[in-house]
Every structure is written in structure tokens, then in C-alpha cells.
Amino acid sequence: MKYLLKNGTVISGAGTRKQDVLVEGEKIIKVGEDLSQPDAKVVDVSGKLLFPGFIDGHTHFDLEVAGTVTADDFETGTRAAILGGTTLVIDFASQDKGGHTLKEGLEKWHKKADGKCSCDYSFHMSIVEWNEETKKEIQDMINEGITSFKLYMTYPAMIVDDEDLYKIIKALNEKGCFAGVHCENAGVIDALIQEAKAQGKLGPENHPLVRPDTMEAEAVHRLLVIAKEAGAPVMVVHLTNRKAYEEIVRARENGQTVFAETCPQYLLLDDSVYSKPDFEGAKYVCAPPIRKKEDQDCLWKALADGDIQTVATDQCSFTLAQKAMGKADFTKIPGGLPGVQTRGTLLYTYGVRTGKITVEKMCQLLCENPAKLYGVYPNKGAIAEGSDADIVVFDPEKENVISAETHAYNTDNNPYEGFEVHGDIDKVFLRGNLAVDEGKLVQEKLGAYIKRGLRQPLA
């Protein structure tokens, strides 16, 4: 099928231009002014913004956690993603503790995802045990198109100690790969939890108090000291606060390569949500927690300045019944929020339209930077000749209200309930296939597994 998208404004990190886009099969074959192609279906996109397909580098679908499984699997989650303009998600396959291999983890996640996805997909690999056999498997993962990894400084089932942290990031760097790291000080958090419980403090309002910003910042600092010794680049995932951000700034000033990611919940919500009545605060339990208004301001400025490279979602959704597992003990509330369907519209409404970031910066954060960091640029992340025809037709004037009654998640709650958006998804092309039209999913399960190359320079 050939499509000719006429009269739109093509967005890139370098600027915006009124251009037409010619698509044939899965690829973009021409971008220019006043294009014509007699055998193509003409799509008038006057007044619309044309973004490359959004990339979400941090999702958790079909994940077993806290004695339950996320409400959204790869089928429902990627439907929501494509409706939100995301044409590629990078989820997390994981090794299991107890002598299991990376290969076993990858096979397990392929079984969860293959044949079910409505957008393209790939995996990071979470390493939870380190030994000579795991080290040998790094090249096997690269051969499978996995070039980024995940490490945890918290959670008993996932945590690696400082010794292994050093060894892993050094070994990954030797192969041209890097790790994203969940940074929280597990030991002090456990002590704070014990103190809270001893005082009978069991409600969700205590969640941010036992996981304070200082314990995220301390872990970021420790990670970056270790990374410097290892001579390795790292990414701090789901960055939430000023103190942790300042640790990254200091490390960069000392010559380190440090990437950072944040999420919409840390840009748009504050910790007052945990004190909502009738256990409603449980909806917002995630780790690290949502912080304060001044932290939001810091993160927005860091985005504008290019100090945070990507905005992902850390999508990890649960129903209210699942959240209620922690009614008598906030530490048993499954942690995570949905986000893949609304990331782009929220960033446009509350970032671009308010002047916090430019539309070009939005393209860098959602498209170009993750494509380069995760080794798929310019096949993904660009509207250019030869690129995959992953195109978001974005209506900057379409208005909507976010609601659990209308979202595509398999959940009965939405953390952005009632948020008004000014700018929304009109159409989405996935490798040349019209998957979303007038905001409705018209083709599903077209997603393919994407093998990724090594990280590319952002500049």
C-alpha cells in the first residue's frame, strides 16, 4: 500500500517543516514539498503535526509482582500504546535468581509477547545474578538484538550488590552495551518501613515517607561512583527528584557519561496524592514514589536543558482490587501505574503548550533520543527516506479528558483521571500500516520483534 500524507508539519529535533511524506510498504520513500504520486492514497493532514512513532523504553506488561500479575499483558498494553502514538515498546525480560540463565528469561518473555503485540516490541534484559556463565551470555543477548540491560539496587528478587554492580556494568561496557539502573537504598528503606509499621503507620500516605528522595539520591551517587571506577556509562531510570538529579549533574561535570529518564507521573503529580481519602492514594503507589512540586519544576527544566534524555512511562498497571491487597499494609500494595496511552498527549498539553519544552524537544524525548540510545535509529525515531513508516499524525487542537471509562488499559482506574488534554492522536502508521484512524484502533497485532544494535551518539 502507498500513502501520501499531504500538507502536514513534519517534526524533528532539529526543527519543523511543512512537508509531504510518501510511504510505500513498510518504509518512508520520500519526504519533501509538493509531492505527488498518482497510485498512492492521499491522506490530507492539513493542520496536523507528523511525529516519528513514539518509543517507550520502559514498560512492564504481564509481570508477576507482589503476589499478582499486572492487569495489562502484551495484548492489552500494546493496544493502549499504539492508541497513544507509541509504535515501539521496550519491555524487560528477566533472568530469575537460583541459577537461571538469561536465555531462559528471554524465552519466557518471547512466549508472553510474540503474536500478541499491536506495536513493535523489544526487550532489555534484567540481570539478577552474576557469574562466569552469565557473563558469557552477554554476547548471546547481543546476537538476539538486546543491547541494553537492567539492574536493581532494591527488591529482594532483583537486587544485585555493589560488587556485582561494578562487574556487570564494566562487562557490559566492554561489549558496547549499558545498563539502566533502578536507584534506591534498599537497606535504609527496609529500616524505615520497620519503623513505620512499629508505629502502626500502615496507610498509603506512608509510602513516600519510607522511600524518601535522599535514599534515591544516595543510590544514584553510589551507582555513579561505581560507574566511574568501572569506566562505564549508565542510565538512571525513572528519575524523580532534584537531589538525585544533582548527583547526575556532578558526575557529568567530572566527565562521566550518564543518561537519565523520567516519567509523566513525576512531571505532573505530587506526593499529596498519597493522602487522598478512602484508600485512593493506593492508586499512585509506585517506586520510586511521586515527589513534590519543586521536584516537578526541576525535572521540567532538566528536560528543556537536555539534561534528561527520555520520558518513558514505567507502565505497570493494576486494578483497584489488586491495589486493595495492601489495604491493611501499604507495603503489600502492588507498585505501578498505567501510562502508555497518555504519555504523548500529556507531554504536549502540559509541556509544549505551556512553554516548558518545545515541540522539537518533545520529538527528541519521545522519538529520537530513545531510538539512538537503544540502537534503532534511523530505522525508528525519524521521518526520513528509508526509515520505517512509523508515523504519528497528531492533532494539536483536538481536546479530550482522560478517564478510566474510555481508556484502553485493562484497569478500572487512571492516575490522570479528569486531566484535560489539548492535542491528541489522530492517526498512527506502524511500518506503513494504518493502525489507528481518527483515534480508533483499526488494525491490531501487527507488532514485530525488533532486534536492536548498539547505542548511537545523541548529538
Side-chain angles (χ1 to χ4, degrees), residues 314-331:
D314 196 9
Q315 157 89 26
C316 194
S317 60
F318 300 97
T319 64
L320 292 175
Q322 289 175 300
K323 291 283 188 178
M325 292 167 62
K327 196 118 187 181
D329 177 355
F330 70 94
T331 65

Side-chain angles (χ1 to χ4, degrees), residues 131-206:
N131 51 51
E132 284 304 311
E133 289 306 309
T134 306
K135 186 175 182 179
K136 290 175 187 174
E137 282 196 280
I138 299 298
Q139 185 60 50
D140 296 335
M141 293 299 103
I142 295 170
N143 296 343
E144 293 293 332
I146 293 174
T147 54
S148 51
F149 294 76
K150 178 77 176 285
L151 301 172
Y152 291 84
M153 298 173 79
T154 187
Y155 300 139
M158 312 297 288
I159 193 170
V160 295
D161 63 23
D162 291 351
E163 177 186 351
D164 284 344
L165 189 64
Y166 169 84
K167 290 177 179 178
I168 294 167
I169 60 177
K170 188 171 184 177
L172 292 178
N173 187 44
E174 289 169 355
K175 295 286 189 178
C177 301
F178 71 99
V181 185
H182 180 135
C183 298
E184 289 185 287
N185 184 310
V188 176
I189 287 170
D190 284 346
L192 291 169
I193 288 171
Q194 291 167 21
E195 288 177 2
K197 287 186 175 182
Q199 296 167 27
K201 296 177 178 178
L202 301 174
E205 67 277 4
N206 297 288

Side-chain angles (χ1 to χ4, degrees), residues 321-439:
Q322 289 175 300
K323 291 283 188 178
M325 292 167 62
K327 196 118 187 181
D329 177 355
F330 70 94
T331 65
K332 291 183 169 55
I333 299 170
L337 314 172
V340 292
Q341 190 172 350
T342 55
R343 179 179 55 138
T345 54
L346 287 169
L347 205 61
Y348 185 82
T349 300
Y350 295 97
V352 175
R353 289 189 69 90
T354 62
K356 290 186 177 73
I357 59 170
T358 64
V359 71
E360 292 88 352
K361 180 60 68 177
M362 175 174 163
C363 186
Q364 289 178 332
L365 294 166
L366 299 190
C367 313
E368 291 177 8
N369 288 353
K372 292 173 181 177
L373 280 169
Y374 299 127
V376 293
Y377 188 85
N379 209 34
K380 307 285 189 185
I383 295 179
E385 186 176 326
S387 296
D388 279 3
D390 297 341
I391 302 170
V392 178
V393 180
F394 192 90
D395 185 344
E397 298 305 328
K398 184 178 179 183
E399 297 184 32
N400 212 334
V401 178
I402 296 172
S403 173
E405 292 185 3
T406 54
H407 69 204
Y409 308 121
N410 192 31
T411 62
D412 52 2
N413 65 95
N414 192 304
Y416 309 105
E417 186 73 36
F419 272 57
E420 297 178 355
V421 294
H422 192 139
D424 210 346
I425 310 300
D426 180 40
K427 300 180 189 344
V428 181
F429 291 86
L430 176 65
R431 284 177 287 103
N433 298 286
L434 182 62
V436 175
D437 191 17
E438 295 183 347

Side-chain angles (χ1 to χ4, degrees), residues 152-294:
Y152 291 84
M153 298 173 79
T154 187
Y155 300 139
M158 312 297 288
I159 193 170
V160 295
D161 63 23
D162 291 351
E163 177 186 351
D164 284 344
L165 189 64
Y166 169 84
K167 290 177 179 178
I168 294 167
I169 60 177
K170 188 171 184 177
L172 292 178
N173 187 44
E174 289 169 355
K175 295 286 189 178
C177 301
F178 71 99
V181 185
H182 180 135
C183 298
E184 289 185 287
N185 184 310
V188 176
I189 287 170
D190 284 346
L192 291 169
I193 288 171
Q194 291 167 21
E195 288 177 2
K197 287 186 175 182
Q199 296 167 27
K201 296 177 178 178
L202 301 174
E205 67 277 4
N206 297 288
H207 175 68
L209 304 179
V210 302
R211 305 186 91 98
D213 57 356
T214 51
M215 290 302 101
E216 181 182 348
E218 185 281 332
V220 170
H221 174 81
R222 183 158 36 100
L223 167 69
L224 298 183
V225 170
I226 292 168
K228 185 172 179 61
E229 195 64 33
V234 288
M235 170 176 265
V236 176
V237 298
H238 46 50
L239 181 71
T240 75
N241 71 84
R242 178 183 294 279
K243 292 185 180 77
Y245 165 71
E246 288 172 347
E247 296 290 346
I248 293 170
V249 171
R250 277 192 285 272
R252 287 175 179 159
E253 288 172 348
N254 289 328
Q256 287 185 248
T257 299
V258 186
F259 305 108
E261 160 203 284
T262 193
C263 310
Q265 55 267 36
Y266 305 123
L267 296 167
L268 298 171
L269 302 172
D270 66 67
D271 60 0
S272 65
V273 296
Y274 294 114
S275 297
K276 290 190 174 188
D278 302 321
F279 199 63
E280 193 179 346
K283 289 195 306 191
Y284 305 93
V285 167
C286 59
I290 293 159
R291 305 296 186 186
K292 298 189 178 299
K293 175 68 169 62
E294 52 264 36

